[in-house]
Amino acid sequence: MLKNHYNTDIVIIGSGIAGLITALRCAQFASVLIITKDQLAESNTHYAQGGIAAALNKVDSPKKHFDDTMKAGCYHNHAKIVNILTKEGPNALQELLDTGLIFETINNTLDFTQEAAHSIPRVLHNKDQTGKTIITHLIKQIKKEKNITLLEDTAAFKLLTKNNTCYGCYAKQQNRIITISSTITCLSTGGIGQLFKHTSNPKIATGDGLFLGYEAGCSLIDLEFMQFHPTSFCLDKTLNSYFLISEAIRGAGAILINQNGDEFMKNHHPNHSLAPRDIVSRGIYNQLSQGNTVYLDCRNSHKNKESDFPAISNAIAKEKLTLRNDLIPITPTAHYMMGGLLTNEHSQTNVTNLYAIGEVACNGSHGANRLASNSLLEGLVFANRAAKQIQKDLSKTQSSPTPHNKAITSPQPASNTDKLDYIHNLLWSQCGIIRDKDSLNTSLKLINNLLQSETYSDTSYTKLYQHALLAKLIITASLHRSESLGSHFITPTITDKIPEKSNPYWITQRKDNTPCYHDSFPSTSLSTPVVSKSDDVIVSARSSRNKGETNCL
């Protein structure tokens, strides 16, 4: 029966691996409500092909996994968090296996594949449908839990907050507004790929959690780091969402070539086609910019192509292509946001009783470039940690009446879809794989003009406003990192001076504040003063930082 108001101990917004694991763990001690704007199975996790990385291989170790993660992330990672991820990952994954989750085996031994930037095989998989396998397994468990209530086709559009504390959310369900009162709120809404013209993400990945958290007062960090997956199937260059071709297929021996048969990645990295994703994406982008066509060549790789990669084989078969006999045309697409809502090792944000887990969050585990197949592991490990902290919070938190605004309205569809396309094109062309400062500055002015034409209040806004605001935050972060690092590749222009190599720093943004620099990964409890912003301040702030100092611009 439909209700206008729900009371629960914990509301979880989103249904990927992070949200579902949190729900299962929390259901052991509290009432849980999961809301998802589509069907339960629809999430970025569902489309994860390659697998989940963890040091379960006998020749592997958490230390080796740690080293690979830090190296892929250009050492911009939060080392403490990476240590937690790689040390706790094997036990967390083993617990899932013990509940009946099945991965590929060879002679009754887990089959580990190798992906780009991994020094050894450590990726567990279920052919090329690992995410679907995990989600299907978790949903079966979810539906058995009496303490879990599920609301599908329900979209959260505003968090209920008072005095920097979250008490639940408003959501839209079947064209009506419902209120959800909760002691704890968890955002696990996934990524933002749909903000870019070309993406591997499903239609639901529109940055809802980032927007909700930002409007509630959360700090955002590392938004300049958007990962572009190198190999999406591309016969039609006008698509928005593309079918992803797993990196595991290159781990199995496939190579990247252009129409002349040149294995061009040899010119970019000693690991050739298995270089880190940011480097491969730029290598492909360079070829495409020269008018070349880029192909994935699987013809001379291992024999069991079709049986090992059935989803990929079926997708390309619709276009009368086979892995065994044909070259597969590919292109990079927007794939994964390394930045997000700033969280700590327990997945807590700076807003009391508000958690963020998975791709919507950033605890520093991925650095400037995510190591392949670490995302599912991050969702698993930090969902477990969140559940433990939530249990502690519930034992000491007194529920307060939910702040309620009777005049609130749900977000309205964009009145002009051309403007949405304009934003997505702008992010793709000017804040994509290759960036430059002049174009970013121009883009920021254009986005600001668009935002000024959109009405926004605390009780009403359009989806166009949400997309434009998130675009502004991404472009702003990109402008404030003037040197290339990982997935953020920015070229100096005639008007630029190439900056001197500076010490590591992190950039945060918060509503009604200007961007801040930090010389170490910041705490969620860090409070800093705000000073005026100018280019001169940016330069002097970075050059004058003392150890442990934060500068807001």
Side-chain angles (χ1 to χ4, degrees), residues 485-546:
L485 183 66
S487 64
H488 172 69
F489 190 85
I490 188 165
T491 58
T493 64
I494 295 174
T495 59
D496 276 330
K497 293 181 179 178
I498 300 175
E500 295 180 2
K501 185 174 178 62
S502 59
N503 293 327
Y505 61 94
W506 285 258
I507 301 165
T508 59
Q509 299 179 79
R510 191 185 295 188
K511 188 176 182 180
D512 299 327
N513 288 354
T514 48
C516 293
Y517 288 109
H518 312 262
D519 68 354
S520 60
F521 196 87
S523 164
T524 53
S525 61
L526 187 63
S527 177
T528 54
V530 178
V531 297
S532 61
K533 180 176 75 172
S534 70
D535 288 340
D536 291 338
V537 173
I538 293 172
V539 174
S540 63
R542 285 218 297 265
S543 62
S544 66
R545 277 198 321 273
N546 295 318

Side-chain angles (χ1 to χ4, degrees), residues 10-14 19-20 22-23 26 32-36 184 186 188:
I10 303 156
V11 61
I12 295 173
I13 305 170
L20 297 189
T22 305
C26 290
V32 178
L33 177 65
I34 300 173
I35 66 172
T36 179
I184 302 293
C186 297
S188 54

Side-chain angles (χ1 to χ4, degrees), residues 5-300:
H5 186 267
Y6 291 83
N7 281 295
T8 185
D9 293 323
I10 303 156
V11 61
I12 295 173
I13 305 170
S15 60
I17 186 173
L20 297 189
I21 289 291
T22 305
L24 287 169
R25 301 293 182 263
C26 290
Q28 305 308 307
F29 56 80
S31 62
V32 178
L33 177 65
I34 300 173
I35 66 172
T36 179
K37 69 177 182 178
D38 204 292
Q39 296 299 295
L40 185 59
E42 184 69 0
S43 64
N44 273 359
T45 299
H46 178 87
Y47 296 94
Q49 294 178 5
I52 182 168
L56 286 169
N57 194 335
K58 290 181 180 179
V59 299
D60 201 0
S61 68
K63 177 62 167 60
K64 292 177 181 178
H65 192 184
F66 174 93
D67 290 343
D68 288 349
T69 300
M70 294 294 293
K71 184 177 180 181
C74 304
Y75 301 96
H76 183 72
N77 323 57
H78 188 188
K80 173 185 176 181
I81 295 294
V82 178
N83 191 49
I84 291 171
L85 177 73
T86 54
K87 281 189 174 181
E88 296 184 8
N91 285 339
L93 190 49
Q94 186 60 55
E95 287 177 1
L96 265 189
L97 292 170
D98 292 343
T99 65
L101 179 62
I102 298 174
F103 288 129
E104 294 294 313
T105 59
I106 296 178
N107 298 325
N108 296 318
T109 302
L110 288 169
D111 178 38
F112 297 92
T113 62
Q114 185 158 0
E115 295 187 6
H118 288 269
S119 58
I120 58 174
R122 68 164 60 91
V123 180
L124 290 168
H125 63 105
N126 192 297
K127 298 192 182 298
D128 57 355
Q129 300 175 78
T130 308
K132 181 179 179 181
T133 299
I134 292 172
I135 286 297
T136 302
H137 177 75
L138 294 177
I139 287 175
K140 288 179 180 178
Q141 293 182 290
I142 288 287
K143 292 185 174 179
K144 294 176 183 177
E145 284 292 345
K146 295 180 179 179
N147 275 351
I148 296 178
T149 301
L150 171 65
L151 296 180
E152 295 177 300
D153 298 310
T154 304
F157 63 87
K158 181 176 175 58
L159 298 179
L160 296 163
T161 58
K162 186 177 182 180
N163 299 327
N164 200 47
T165 300
C166 188
Y167 296 98
C169 66
Y170 288 114
K172 186 176 182 180
Q173 181 191 61
Q174 297 186 7
N175 295 318
R176 63 198 186 88
I177 296 173
I178 62 173
T179 305
I180 299 169
S181 301
S182 64
T183 305
I184 302 293
T185 302
C186 297
L187 293 171
S188 54
T189 53
I192 65 164
Q194 287 290 329
L195 267 64
F196 290 78
K197 180 181 179 181
H198 303 299
T199 181
S200 64
N201 290 183
K203 294 293 184 183
I204 58 171
T206 53
D208 296 357
L210 275 185
F211 181 79
L212 289 171
Y214 179 80
E215 290 296 328
C218 290
S219 292
L220 278 61
I221 188 169
D222 276 356
L223 293 191
E224 66 270 35
F225 298 116
M226 182 70 190
Q227 187 173 74
F228 295 84
H229 198 288
T231 55
S232 290
F233 184 41
C234 181
L235 279 177
D236 183 352
K237 297 180 181 179
T238 66
L239 296 178
N240 166 232
S241 295
Y242 287 73
F243 180 81
L244 186 75
I245 297 182
S246 170
E247 198 163 273
I249 210 164
R250 281 179 281 137
I255 60 172
L256 293 164
I257 62 172
N258 61 21
Q259 76 274 11
N260 300 317
D262 298 329
E263 193 179 347
F264 56 88
M265 283 307 301
K266 288 182 177 180
N267 303 321
H268 295 278
H269 196 275
N271 290 345
H272 303 174
S273 295
L274 278 175
R277 286 180 176 177
D278 60 319
I279 296 173
V280 178
S281 291
R282 288 195 293 273
I284 296 172
Y285 181 87
N286 182 54
Q287 291 288 315
L288 298 176
S289 298
Q290 296 175 43
N292 293 331
T293 303
V294 178
Y295 298 95
L296 193 62
D297 184 359
C298 316
R299 295 171 300 178
N300 296 318

Side-chain angles (χ1 to χ4, degrees), residues 157-158 211 215 405 407-411 451 454-462 465 511:
F157 63 87
K158 181 176 175 58
F211 181 79
E215 290 296 328
N405 187 334
I408 197 164
T409 59
S410 62
L451 279 169
E454 285 295 304
T455 58
Y456 171 80
S457 72
D458 190 44
T459 58
S460 178
Y461 64 93
T462 66
Y465 178 86
K511 188 176 182 180

